[in-house]
């Protein structure tokens, strides 16, 4: 691919120590929880990547590492070609913070309940020393108008609890955009919103990110939303990326049995459509102390001996996307190297 | 700190002030006192004294502090304090004037002994030494009188009062005629315990204490309540009689062969509480054990003894290194007779250990006294039972001392009969009297205390190093008012270390200054003191404040 | 006669700001063996409605009118002691927060035993047996009966609650948002469990959700609620395919469809009215792109628009035009935010 | 398992560390005070030799660091040194009063927590009624009243005026009990125990009562209580098995911590009622400058508190299956 | 929507930044008191405090006598007098006016209460904030220190310290200050632990704010009301403790505090004398001030013992 990626992630992992009860034998036991395990991808400038997967598969953890809220256990993270995995220097970190922003799942939580909207939007300006007093007011006004909160002045002195979820989510977006980021991560940005307003926020995000040429990572368990928002899609399962590629290929011609199941499980708003059979067994196993081999082995309808022995490598499928499954015939034999997981 | 309300009277002070007034100003004097909470009377007296000083134009400030802090300063920082509240408590051996007269004022004890005020008068020293070795009572009395005169005219102490001891007993329980009053000690004494005759169902004497019994140990002088118990369990060769004079007790006779030789005949058939006989060996052991170093507190009382010879199983001869007038009181009436068969091995054992006999607590203390140990519930009560085999058996069956730290409660308990002898009452005498008068069962007996309350002045420091200043202060302090206000009449104004309760030793006419503020001012003026325009007292010309800031 | 008939039910909350008319004249019926989906925006009164039906409202909630006929009895008039018998035995409700619906300090089996022994009058052994059956029925490992609720995943808890709801074989099960907050695969599993039970046990089901896809997949009928009122009611395929109310149309536009990626999502701007002081006319008027004069002061009533299909709109007569217009993005843009 | 025992071990290690630091602070507070620690016990008329003997007897003749090491070594063996005042091992002196403190504490806790928990449930049950308002205000009264004051009033009424209970002490005059059990079950002892316990309980019960009430209100809003109601369970059952059971968790913890506090002795009450307990012992020791004893009593109370804090944690996790330990979430 | 929001070159203004910080802090402090307005209980508590603060301030005007003065009528000491027009609450056994003492007693109560509360709020909040926010080692150390504070028996500690440092109110306050912050710290910490998990804190981090800024600008305002609540409770504890310590005889003799009055009454056998006018009023006043704290805290004892869930 011609364009240099803004985001490049190589073998990123995050492990947690599991907790347990003092007296009772817990169902999980002690051990290491591999929330994210060896994840790699690249996102070129202006592109958007959707990450989907079941609850607890490590989506949020990945997002947090992308925003340097978590220090990865291993692997590296390149931003604009620069390795910033272990970036500590204050100024540089601040610079990064200005360029990478997050949009939160729960807008009711994302704003300080004791701050007015104006105050919340002012905070990043103060932190980054942007503008004079008058200019700042203008910036905030602009930012609110940009997210369709018009007339902006009406919202200045409001507190979060005085606003609706849809409005708040827009404020959250405005706050993310007010520092002119080049990279935006949206972690389930609309899952807390009502259906009727959800579309509004999504459309707004879509147009703004396109107009501002933002590189985005969009996290959701809702594949239909991802298909609506993103060019590329990564499917995660228990800390690992199992399938990644163009949204079209991944969602229309899924190769990994997990992706297939996931797609089959999405209910259709069309009452006449026959629901598909979801070929998946059991529950998500405990992410603590995973067995050898493929993480999906216990639920997969196609499991064979090799799945229990060897962790499948990511390989390119004939449809273009990259898949981690022993059962998918590789498009060409060469093992897809991490650096090559370009999308 | 606290200030009194009275303003200095400037009417009779000179309007013109001396030119060098500034340098002659007397610093603010500090009066140490225990806090009102723990010693209300001392604190109130300090207030009254500070008030009197203010009237003389002297700034005084009361510093309240716990007793430990106060004593640390008074004992160990002997030149750092000005005035302090203090008291001398009544103890039987203090019925002999020696301790007060010698220890408190002899210059030899000024450095690290009892003479913490730093009183130094060679003439007095001589008298104090003389009375110690004057065995003849009349002769000694003159010396004691003279000593008191000197103390009074020098105003060695700022005497306040001899409080009145207030005891209450239940006359439905004890025959009033059988209750014995002891000079300077009141009715709470061993003679009452021995003599009190129960007249009803209640055969026990139940009295109160307001602090814990610390130990029941014949070799350890601990708290005063401990001594109430120990003197009952352990006999002594002599005991102080109700007239304040020692009389033979376990000894049948005490005969002074010479000024330094005393022959002691033991009573026959005395037995320890464990049934073993009391022998001369035991007596000798009792007097020699302190010399081993394992009984440090009793050592001072036996050091004077040169040797003890056993003449026969019931006769001993004590030889003193030099004559000592107070020997009967301070030694023969003081040391407990201890069974050698019990304590001998203990003392031997202790010789190799850091501890000494003071820390040894017998499970069941064994003495030969009129009461036997029965039970001790820590912080609750001590129970003794009558030793019917004693040569002077008590009439009560049991002697029980209950620890009741709460004064209100002790009052309530004597009223409702939970106790029948109020042995300690630090509270308001007037109230006690009202309660007793309102009760058909109770009788109150008050006695002027052997001990006394005073304020010590530090003779090492100006202005107290000036007799005139001390005399003026003494004149200004209204001791009658103290007795009336602070003690609600339950005290007698004091002017001597010897209590009026001891007429044999007390000098009735002492030259202790009085006359109030007017008289005080006169004394000061005569001594050259002056006042500045604001009415503040100034040192006499040529003297300046050296300790001020 | 229907198993459950709700007639003009009104449920109000006393709040510091005044009376909040959370449910304001709702009528519907559920026949034996059928399933009704209740959809609507957050806060439109769905939970209030079902809680009102079995009278477990919060302290400040009152039933202000109407009746609830269940199995021939009016639940609103029933004595408390009597309705206590009905609860769970004849009618069980899986509440919205099923995740936190089990007493956290007892193992899950205790909840089953309590119900089965106390209300079902089973012996302990029978109760355990029955609990195991129920667990198997919803696809849970019977070993898990001894676990504590917090040791269950969200989907498992939801299934356990379903099992518990079925413990006494009630005639009607009401499930309040049984799959919200579950991810797709688990959601799919839970819905499958419900569907199977419906098929096998002939369960009558009322299911609340705000996801019309869920309704489309699971229910026979659907009622669309808006601001305390039902604005459209009918068989699922009719309501979703031939929506008669602008709100329902809007709702359909707002749903992304995985199979039709080219379509744009359209949102309904604005937010529902304040229930303490609802507008006089149609409650949706302020957000409706087809609003006319009458909408502002006259409340439309729920009228039949065909085969068991009802809707409440003043412009039902021009419905074909509206339906066409509703598909256009610009139609919905005109509404001021 | 690993994590679990690691937690317990690390908590134990923490406890030891905490105690060590407290002991050290205490040691230096007592030693670094100006003046001779034995000031109240060394009569200035003692000869130098006598003073030295005394200093040696209490180990005060050695250099400070050595005293400290000896002190620590003794502490590890449960040795608290000798009381200056009683000339007896501190441990022995403390043992003499500890049972009484225990009885007073247990009795008052039983009263307080019974009344408190029941009262809390009742207040929560009757919420938004006048009963509740009055109940809360009354409870706040009991919680705000100075204990000595309540004690005095109780004393005047029940002892001085009505003469129902003795006015002080722990046992009747001259009674000797064959065993602690006989003492505990004797009417006379219980009579002595009653007033001080009552006074302590009046103060203590406020905490469980208010805590229980507000927890109840919290829990009653929880989904599982609502659902229990949906299940048609009886109101009593819901209140007790659902609401109260869950609401009691923090109360139990509070009680464990409270016992820790209380074992130090309730100084004021022991003072007013002449109760021979640890608190009074400590105050007496402090005012009598019996540092060894004060230090010992203090360390002991501290140890009990530290242990009870630990017990509270463990108890909580025992009672609440949801509590987890470790570093993660 | 059609404005381009690219804002590239923005001048830096440091001064404004600082002013903004202070302004926010000030506003938040004001916000912390806002809860008073909405809660009749808290309001009652605040009114009681105000009442006593006024009494404390105007004591010399309100009290007819100096509280230490031994009053003489016609040269005779007026002691142990029952209430009369002259002495509304009678006199003590030393002839001091009880009413005047009561009035003067408000000052030390308020002084002790407020300073102790201040100590508790400041130290407890800071410790709680840092421990909760920084977690890890900082938390470890601070919480160990808190554990130590929790291991020290409170009343005995105050007594020991006061016995050593001398009987002054300030020493009592110091002793309380050294320990009482512990509850506040623990509660604030657990509160901070939850607040710091809320996304707006993450949002602030993502916006590049420094830890200290997040701590004081974002987190602190959310826990301040709790701190004030604790302050009000601490005030009650402080007053009760001062009373108890005074009662035990370790009080400041120069301060006419209510606890001291109770001690005086008790030591002077006011009970046996049935001088209720001497015993009851100081008790009531102590009770009222302490209760005021509880009222402000709305009796929320549960905040004293937060569930240990998240420790
Ligand atoms: N701070 C943490 N400490 C311990 N475990 C964590 C932590 N954060 C996340 N986990 C665990 O890591 C795993 C992945 O969590 P993550 O939040 O990334 O999942 P997710 O895909 O975002 O899930 P959801 O869809 O529910 O938001 C989960 O098992 C979670 O419990
Ligand atoms: N106890 C209550 N007191 C006052 N108002 C209440 C109460 N419970 C609910 N409400 C209000 O009543 C309305 C309906 O609430 P309800 O919970 O029934 O909505 P819902 O449709 O179930 O919403 P959701 O989809 O969010 O669960 C809302 O406006 C809500 O704020
Ligand atoms: Mg997530
Ligand atoms: Mg709901």
């Amino acid at each position: 691919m011609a364009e240099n990626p803004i985001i490049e992630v190589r073998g990123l992992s995050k492990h947690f120590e599991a907790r347990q009860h003092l007296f009772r034998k817990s169902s999980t036991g002690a051990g290491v929880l591999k929330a994210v395990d060896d994840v790699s991808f690249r996102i070129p400038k202006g592109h958007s990547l959707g990450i989907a997967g079941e609850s607890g598969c490590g989506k949020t953890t990945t997002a947090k590492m992308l925003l340097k809220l978590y220090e990865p256990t291993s692997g590296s993270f390149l931003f604009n070609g620069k390795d910033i995995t272990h970036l500590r220097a204050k100024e540089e970190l601040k610079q990064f913070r200005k360029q990478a922003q997050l949009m939160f799942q729960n807008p009711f939580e994302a704003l300080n309940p004791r701050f007015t909207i104006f105050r919340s939007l002012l905070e990043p300006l103060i932190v980054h020393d942007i503008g004079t007093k008058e200019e700042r007011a203008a910036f905030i006004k602009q930012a609110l108008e940009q997210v369709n909160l018009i007339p902006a002045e009406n919202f200045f002195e409001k507190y979060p609890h005085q606003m609706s979820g849809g409005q708040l989510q827009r404020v959250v977006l405005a706050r993310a955009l007010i520092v002119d980021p080049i990279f935006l991560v949206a972690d389930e940005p609309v899952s807390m919103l009502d259906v009727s307003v959800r579309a509004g926020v999504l459309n707004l995000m879509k147009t703004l990110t396109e107009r501002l040429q933002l590189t985005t990572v969009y996290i959701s368990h809702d594949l239909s939303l991802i298909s609506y928002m993103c060019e590329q899609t990564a499917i995660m399962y228990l800390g690992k990326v199992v399938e990644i590629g163009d949204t079209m290929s991944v969602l229309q011609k899924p190769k990994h049995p997990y992706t297939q199941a996931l797609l089959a499980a999405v209910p259709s708003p069309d009452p006449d459509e026959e629901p598909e059979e979801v070929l998946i067994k059991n529950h998500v196993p405990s992410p603590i102390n995973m067995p050898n081999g493929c993480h999906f082995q216990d639920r997969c309808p196609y499991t064979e001996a090799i799945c229990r022995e060897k962790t499948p490598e990511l390989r390119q499928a004939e449809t273009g996307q990259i898949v981690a499954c022993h059962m998918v015939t590789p498009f060409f034999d060469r093992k897809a190297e991490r650096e090559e997981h370009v999308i | 700190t606290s200030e009194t309300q009275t303003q200095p009277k400037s009417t009779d002070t000179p309007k013109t002030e001396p030119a060098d007034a500034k340098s002659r100003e007397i610093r603010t004097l500090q009066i140490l006192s225990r806090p009102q909470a723990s010693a209300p009377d001392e604190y109130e007296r300090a207030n009254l004294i500070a008030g009197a000083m203010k009237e003389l134009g002297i700034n005084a400030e009361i510093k309240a502090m716990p007793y430990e802090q106060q004593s640390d300063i008074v004992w160990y920082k002997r030149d750092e304090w000005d005035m302090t509240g203090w008291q001398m408590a009544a103890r039987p051996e203090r019925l002999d004037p020696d301790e007060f007269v010698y220890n408190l004022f002899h210059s030899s004890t000024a450095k690290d002994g009892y003479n913490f005020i730093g009183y130094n008068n060679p003439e007095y020293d001589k008298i104090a030494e003389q009375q110690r070795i004057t065995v003849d009572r009349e002769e000694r009395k003159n010396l004691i009188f003279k000593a008191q005169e000197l103390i009074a005219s020098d105003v060695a102490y700022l005497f306040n009062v001899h409080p009145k001891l207030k005891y209450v007993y239940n006359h439905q329980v004890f025959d009033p005629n059988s209750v014995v009053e002891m000079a300077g000690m009141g009715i709470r004494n061993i003679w009452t315990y021995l003599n009190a005759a129960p007249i009803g169902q209640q055969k026990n004497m139940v009295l109160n204490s307001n602090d814990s019994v610390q130990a029941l140990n014949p070799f350890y002088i601990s708290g005063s309540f401990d001594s109430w118990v120990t003197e009952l369990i352990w006999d002594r060769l002599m005991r102080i009689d109700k007239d304040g004079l020692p009389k033979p007790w376990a000894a049948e006779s005490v005969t002074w062969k010479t000024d330094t030789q005393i022959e002691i005949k033991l009573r026959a058939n005395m037995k320890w509480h464990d049934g073993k006989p009391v022998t001369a060996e035991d007596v000798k052991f009792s007097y020699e054990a302190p010399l081993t170093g394992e009984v440090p507190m009793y050592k001072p009382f036996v050091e004077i003894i040169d040797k003890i010879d056993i003449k026969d199983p019931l006769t001993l001869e004590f030889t003193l290194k030099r004559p000592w007038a107070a020997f009967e009181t301070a030694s023969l009436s003081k040391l407990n007779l201890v069974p050698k068969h019990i304590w001998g091995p203990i003392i031997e054992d202790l010789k190799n250990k850091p501890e000494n006999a003071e820390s040894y607590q017998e499970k069941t203390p064994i003495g030969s006294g009129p009461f036997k140990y029965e039970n001790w519930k820590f912080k609750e009560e001590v129970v003794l039972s009558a030793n019917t085999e004693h040569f002077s058996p008590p009439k009560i069956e049991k002697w029980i001392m209950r620890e009741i730290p709460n004064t209100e409660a002790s009052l309530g308990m004597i009223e409702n009969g939970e106790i029948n002898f109020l042995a300690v009452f630090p509270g308001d005498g007037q109230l006690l009297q009202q309660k007793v008068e309102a009760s058909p069962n109770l009788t109150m007996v008050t006695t002027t205390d052997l001990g006394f309350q005073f304020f010590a002045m530090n003779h090492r420091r100006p202005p107290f190093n000036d007799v005139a200043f001390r005399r003026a202060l003494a004149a200004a302090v209204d001791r009658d008012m103290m007795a009336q206000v602070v003690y609600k009449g339950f005290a007698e104004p004091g002017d001597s270390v010897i209590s009026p309760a001891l007429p044999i030793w007390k000098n009735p006419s002492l030259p202790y200054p009085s006359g109030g503020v007017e008289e005080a001012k006169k004394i000061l003026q005569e001594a050259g003191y002056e006042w500045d325009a604001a009415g503040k007292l100034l040192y006499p010309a040529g003297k300046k404040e050296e300790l001020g800031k | 006669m229907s198993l459950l008939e709700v007639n003009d039910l009104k449920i109000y909350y006393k709040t510091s700001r005044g009376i909040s008319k959370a449910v304001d004249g709702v009528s519907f019926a559920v026949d034996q063996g059928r399933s009704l989906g209740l959809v609507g925006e957050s806060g439109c009164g769905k939970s209030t409605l079902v809680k009102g039906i079995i009278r477990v409202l919060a302290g400040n909630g009152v039933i202000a009118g109407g009746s609830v006929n269940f199995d021939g009895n009016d639940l609103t008039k029933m004595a408390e002691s009597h309705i206590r018998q009905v609860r769970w035995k004849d009618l069980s409700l899986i509440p919205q927060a099923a995740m936190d619906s089990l007493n956290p300090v007892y193992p899950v089996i205790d909840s089953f035993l309590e119900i089965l022994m106390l209300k079902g009058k089973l012996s302990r052994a029978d109760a355990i047996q029955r609990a195991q059956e129920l667990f198997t029925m919803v696809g849970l490992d019977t070993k898990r009966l001894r676990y504590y609720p917090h040791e269950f995943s969200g989907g498992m808890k939801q299934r356990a609650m379903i099992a518990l709801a079925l413990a006494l074989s009630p005639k009607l099960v009401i499930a309040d948002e049984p799959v919200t907050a579950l991810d797709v695969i688990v959601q799919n599993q839970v819905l499958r469990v419900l569907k199977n039970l419906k098929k096998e046990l002939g369960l009558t089901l009322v299911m609340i959700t705000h996801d019309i896809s869920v309704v489309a997949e699971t229910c026979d009928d659907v009622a669309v609620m808006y601001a305390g009122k039902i604005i459209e009611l009918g068989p699922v395929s009719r309501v979703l395919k031939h929506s008669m109310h602008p709100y329902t149309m809007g709702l359909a536009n707002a749903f992304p469809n995985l199979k039709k990626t080219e379509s744009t999502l359209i949102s309904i701007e604005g937010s529902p009215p304040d229930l303490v002081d609802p507008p006089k006319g149609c409650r949706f008027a302020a957000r409706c792109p087809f609003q006319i004069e009458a909408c502002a002061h006259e409340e439309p009533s729920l009228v039949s628009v065909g085969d068991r299909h009802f809707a409440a709109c003043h412009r039902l007569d021009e419905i074909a035009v509206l339906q066409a217009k509703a598909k256009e993005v610009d139609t919905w843009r005109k509404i001021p935010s | 398992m690993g994590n679990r025992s690691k937690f317990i071990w690390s908590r134990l290690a923490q406890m030891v560390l905490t105690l060590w630091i407290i002991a050290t602070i205490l040691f230096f507070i007592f030693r670094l005070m100006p003046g001779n620690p034995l000031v109240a016990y060394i009569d200035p008329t003692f000869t130098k030799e006598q003073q030295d003997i005394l200093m040696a007897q209490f180990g005060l003749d050695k250099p400070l660091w050595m005293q400290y090491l000896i002190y620590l070594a003794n502490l590890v063996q449960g040795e608290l040194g000798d009381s200056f005042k009683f000339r007896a091992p501190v441990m022995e002196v403390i043992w003499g009063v500890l049972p009484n403190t225990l009885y007073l504490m247990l009795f008052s806790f039983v009263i307080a927590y019974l009344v408190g928990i029941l009262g809390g449930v009742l207040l929560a049950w009757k919420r938004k009624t006048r009963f509740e308002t009055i109940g809360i205000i009354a409870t706040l009264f009991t919680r705000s009243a100075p204990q000595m004051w309540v004690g005095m009033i109780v004393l005047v009424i029940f002892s001085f005026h009505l003469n129902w209970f003795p006015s002080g002490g722990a046992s009747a005059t001259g009674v000797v009990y064959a065993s602690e059990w006989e003492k505990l079950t004797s009417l006379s002892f219980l009579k002595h125990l009653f007033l001080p316990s009552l006074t302590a309980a009046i103060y203590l019960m406020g905490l469980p009562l208010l805590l229980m009430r507000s927890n109840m209100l919290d829990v009653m809003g929880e989904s599982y209580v609502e659902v229990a109601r949906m299940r048609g369970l009886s109101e009593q059952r819901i209140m007790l098995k659902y609401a109260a059971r869950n609401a009691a968790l923090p109360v139990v913890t509070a009680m464990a911590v409270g016992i820790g506090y209380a074992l130090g002795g309730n100084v004021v009450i022991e003072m007013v009622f002449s109760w021979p307990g640890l608190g009074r012992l400590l105050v007496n020791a402090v005012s009598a400058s019996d540092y060894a004893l004060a230090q010992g009593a203090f360390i002991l109370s501290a140890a009990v508190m530290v242990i009870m804090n630990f017990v509270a944690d463990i108890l909580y996790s025992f009672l609440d299956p949801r509590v987890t330990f470790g570093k993660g979430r | 929507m059609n404005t381009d929001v690219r804002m590239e070159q923005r001048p830096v203004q440091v001064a404004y930044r600082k002013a903004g910080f202070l302004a926010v802090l000030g506003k938040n402090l004001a916000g912390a008191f806002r809860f008073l307005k909405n809660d009749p209980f808290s309001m009652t508590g605040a009114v009681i405090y105000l009442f006593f603060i006024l009494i404390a301030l105007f004591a010399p005007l309100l009290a007819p006598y100096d509280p230490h003065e031994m009053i003489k009528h016609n040269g005779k000491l007026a002691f142990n007098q029952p209430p009369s027009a002259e002495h509304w609450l009678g006199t003590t056994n030393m002839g001091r006016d009880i009413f005047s003492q009561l009035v003067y007693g408000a000052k030390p109560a308020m002084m002790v209460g407020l300073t102790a509360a201040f100590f508790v709020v400041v130290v407890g909040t800071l410790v709680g904030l840092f421990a909760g926010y920084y977690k890890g080692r900082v938390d470890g150390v601070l919480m160990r220190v808190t554990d130590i504070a929790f291991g020290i028996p409170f009343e005995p500690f105050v007594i020991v310290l006061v016995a050593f440092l001398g009987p002054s109110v300030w020493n009592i306050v110091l002793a309380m200050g050294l320990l009482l912050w512990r509850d506040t710290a623990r509660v604030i910490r657990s509160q901070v632990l939850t607040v710091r998990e809320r996304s707006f804190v993450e949002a602030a981090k993502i916006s590049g704010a420094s830890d200290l800024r997040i701590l004081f600008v974002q987190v602190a305002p959310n826990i301040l009301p709790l701190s004030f609540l604790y302050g009000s409770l601490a005030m009650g504890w402080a007053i009760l403790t001062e009373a108890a310590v005074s009662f035990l005889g370790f009080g400041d003799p120069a301060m006419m505090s209510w606890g001291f009055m109770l001690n005086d009454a008790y030591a002077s056998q006011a009970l046996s004398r049935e001088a209720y006018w001497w015993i009851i009023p100081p008790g009531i006043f102590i009770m009222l001030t302490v209760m005021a704290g509880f009222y402000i805290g709305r009796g929320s004892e549960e905040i004293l013992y937060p569930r240990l869930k998240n420790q």
Side-chain angles (χ1 to χ4, degrees), chain C residues 13 15 20 22 41-48 58 60 96 177 210 275:
Chain C
Y13 286 115
T15 73
S20 172
E41 241 160 307
S42 178
C44 70
K46 307 181 294 291
S47 300
T48 305
N60 59 339
Q96 184 158 7
E177 313 247 19
H210 50 244
L275 294 175

Side-chain angles (χ1 to χ4, degrees), chain B residues 68 75-76 112 114 206 211 213-214 220 296 299 356 358-359 375 377-381 402-403 405-406 413, chain D residues 42 44-45 50 57 85-87 93 100 167 170-176 272 274 276 280-281 284 287 289:
Chain B
E68 290 69 33
W75 291 122
Y76 298 106
D112 46 20
Y114 258 117
V206 187
D211 196 4
V213 169
Q214 301 170 23
Y220 177 27
K299 205 171 169 191
N356 57 37
E358 289 173 4
S359 351
N375 188 31
K377 266 188 275 179
F378 184 53
K379 285 217 159 245
E380 288 186 60
E381 63 180 14
R402 309 260 304 156
E403 182 179 342
N406 178 342
M413 287 163 100
Chain D
I42 293 186
T45 55
Q50 279 176 308
Q57 190 192 340
K85 182 171 171 180
F86 298 105
R87 298 294 154 97
V93 177
N100 287 323
S167 51
S171 57
T173 309
V175 182
V176 181
V272 172
S274 312
R280 214 176 93 212
L281 187 73
N284 287 161
S287 23
S289 293

